[in-house]
Amino acid sequence: GVKERLNSNNKNIVVLGIVSDLHNLSDDIYTIKLLTSQAYIMCTPDFPYIPANKSTISFKELVNVPLALLNNSFEFQKILLNGIKQYGTPNIKVLSPNTSTITAAVHNGIAAGFSNRFFSPNPTLRFLPIRNAPKFHLSLVSNCEMDKDKLKKLAEIIKQKLY
């Protein structure tokens, strides 16, 4: 995760990462939030496990939904899986190190996937907000030793490219 990347010997590292409201970053870490997003489940419009008339979904409702996930340790995915685990065992149908495999599984209606709105959403898919999920923030994260004015300038440059 973000914290692990900052714990290297190089104190001049800046990480662009996704941080949740649940993150408890230490006092020696400086964070600039660039964008905020809800967590979403994405699926095809005719995905049989999520009724077409649903506009939001709960963690409890996601227990039996087949999921396509990356087999890495992204905090975003871990937090959402933990929300599902409060109600049962997640139904992981596809597990891959490759995002194109996950995308193909979702686009072909094999499984649903977790998403956020930091990147352009695909207009052919449904994006349902996950109720009671924490907010996530695309953030610049660094050690407090770095020059904060330079970090703020970098954040402004990145923000211009995101909108």
Side-chain angles (χ1 to χ4, degrees), residues 4-54:
E4 290 76 25
R5 290 185 210 152
L6 289 176
N7 286 337
S8 71
N9 292 330
N10 185 349
K11 296 295 180 191
N12 295 314
I13 290 178
V14 178
V15 176
L16 179 64
I18 297 176
V19 179
S20 84
D21 284 340
L22 302 178
H23 268 99
N24 200 5
L25 299 176
S26 60
D27 292 338
D28 61 338
I29 294 176
Y30 182 66
T31 303
I32 301 174
K33 294 176 184 173
L34 304 173
L35 292 173
T36 299
S37 176
Q38 289 182 268
Y40 295 86
I41 196 76
M42 61 180 174
C43 63
T44 57
D46 60 349
F47 190 60
Y49 295 89
I50 301 175
N53 63 346
K54 265 198 138 354

Side-chain angles (χ1 to χ4, degrees), residues 21-119:
D21 284 340
L22 302 178
H23 268 99
N24 200 5
L25 299 176
S26 60
D27 292 338
D28 61 338
I29 294 176
Y30 182 66
T31 303
I32 301 174
K33 294 176 184 173
L34 304 173
L35 292 173
T36 299
S37 176
Q38 289 182 268
Y40 295 86
I41 196 76
M42 61 180 174
C43 63
T44 57
D46 60 349
F47 190 60
Y49 295 89
I50 301 175
N53 63 346
K54 265 198 138 354
S55 59
T56 65
I57 196 159
S58 69
F59 285 120
K60 186 176 183 177
E61 293 169 308
L62 286 172
V63 170
N64 295 314
V65 173
L67 297 172
L69 304 175
L70 290 169
N71 65 350
N72 58 34
S73 60
F74 282 130
E75 200 68 23
F76 173 73
Q77 184 173 277
K78 281 183 182 178
I79 288 170
L80 297 177
L81 281 173
N82 284 338
I84 295 171
K85 287 177 183 175
Q86 292 176 20
Y87 301 97
T89 303
N91 181 8
I92 300 171
K93 184 89 167 188
V94 177
L95 191 61
S96 173
N98 189 325
T99 56
S100 61
T101 302
I102 304 306
T103 301
V106 172
H107 280 272
N108 288 297
I110 296 167
F114 295 132
S115 186
N116 54 55
R117 291 296 176 114
F118 297 134
F119 309 101

